[in-house]
Amino acid sequence: MRNLDFSSWHGLLTTLLGLAVITLIGVGIRLLAMQTIQQRRERENRQINERLRTLIAAYKTLGGSFTGNLAVDPSHLRDLRRRAEPDGTSAAEPIGHEGAGSDRSRRIRDAVEAALSDIILLGTEEQVQLAAKAAADMVAGRPAHMAELVASLRNFIRRVLDLEPVPSGLAIPQQGPTRIPASRGKGDGGAKDGARGGGGKGMGGGAGGMGLGASGGDDDHEPRH
């Protein structure tokens, strides 16, 4: 304030102009800093939301069942064929094998493998270790259990969402992978299509018969010369 000159109009205008320039520069720096901070915060929020959405989807896949066989059957179709005995009868079925519904167990295995891959990518250190252990068990052909990994995911998701922790005295049953409905065979669809086609042809034949009958009736009623 010592260098401010209010003794003349020229000095006053120069002083005011200098103050305005300094104020504009300060406001611009502040706006730039606020915009940078806001962009960084939005980027972090997007990353957190994407991570949380992926882990919630993995939790639903790995912990959607409370009853039944909660172990993941790692067997592939070639493994099932390899277990078949020479006389054509099947050997002892692996854990989680559902006989005619083995396609369901393979679908569950594929969904679990995808969920484990997402957890290894975006999970915490504890979750990555548990997911890697489960993946190693599946690679070795051993049934994999997901209860411990599901509990870790549940606690982490509730903590990120600022929810109250699960009461320590509450006994939650062990959770396992969601049971995916078995795909319907193509034979059912083909039979239905055939039924529709047969019905259509029958109706067409009936319509043709009606047309012939109508034509015959007209010929009978034509006047004879």
Side-chain angles (χ1 to χ4, degrees), residues 11-22:
L12 178 61
L13 292 176
T14 304
T15 302
L16 294 177
L17 182 60
L19 291 175
V21 170
I22 294 174

Side-chain angles (χ1 to χ4, degrees), residues 37-66:
I37 295 174
Q38 183 178 2
Q39 289 178 352
R40 182 183 303 173
R41 187 176 301 170
E42 290 177 354
R43 183 171 62 253
E44 292 176 353
N45 289 336
R46 285 195 300 268
Q47 293 174 353
I48 293 174
N49 292 336
E50 183 65 24
R51 181 187 187 187
L52 190 60
R53 182 164 50 249
T54 302
L55 293 180
I56 289 176
Y59 172 82
K60 292 180 179 179
T61 299
L62 300 180
S65 297
F66 291 94

Side-chain angles (χ1 to χ4, degrees), residues 41-195:
R41 187 176 301 170
E42 290 177 354
R43 183 171 62 253
E44 292 176 353
N45 289 336
R46 285 195 300 268
Q47 293 174 353
I48 293 174
N49 292 336
E50 183 65 24
R51 181 187 187 187
L52 190 60
R53 182 164 50 249
T54 302
L55 293 180
I56 289 176
Y59 172 82
K60 292 180 179 179
T61 299
L62 300 180
S65 297
F66 291 94
T67 58
N69 188 2
L70 302 182
V72 181
D73 178 19
S75 301
H76 290 257
L77 183 59
R78 62 178 180 270
D79 299 327
L80 299 178
R81 292 174 178 174
R82 192 178 304 162
R83 292 191 182 100
E85 294 179 351
D87 58 355
T89 59
S90 298
E93 294 179 347
I95 297 178
H97 180 60
E98 301 181 8
S102 60
D103 181 66
R104 173 183 294 178
S105 64
R106 291 196 295 271
R107 288 172 177 267
I108 294 175
R109 180 204 62 212
D110 294 342
V112 168
E113 288 180 353
L116 292 178
S117 177
D118 291 337
I119 294 174
I120 292 175
L121 177 64
L122 298 175
T124 61
E125 182 179 358
E126 178 186 7
Q127 295 164 7
V128 170
Q129 292 177 355
L130 294 174
K133 180 180 180 299
D137 290 339
M138 295 179 66
V139 171
R142 296 187 297 269
H145 296 269
M146 305 294 165
E148 189 175 359
L149 177 56
V150 169
S152 177
L153 288 171
R154 180 175 59 240
N155 295 333
F156 174 76
I157 292 172
R158 294 184 66 89
R159 185 168 62 252
V160 173
L161 294 178
D162 293 332
L163 299 176
E164 297 82 2
V166 178
S168 57
L170 181 63
I172 300 179
Q174 289 190 351
Q175 296 173 251
T178 301
R179 289 188 290 272
I180 302 175
S183 60
R184 299 179 60 182
K186 296 182 179 180
D188 298 339
K192 290 184 178 181
D193 293 340

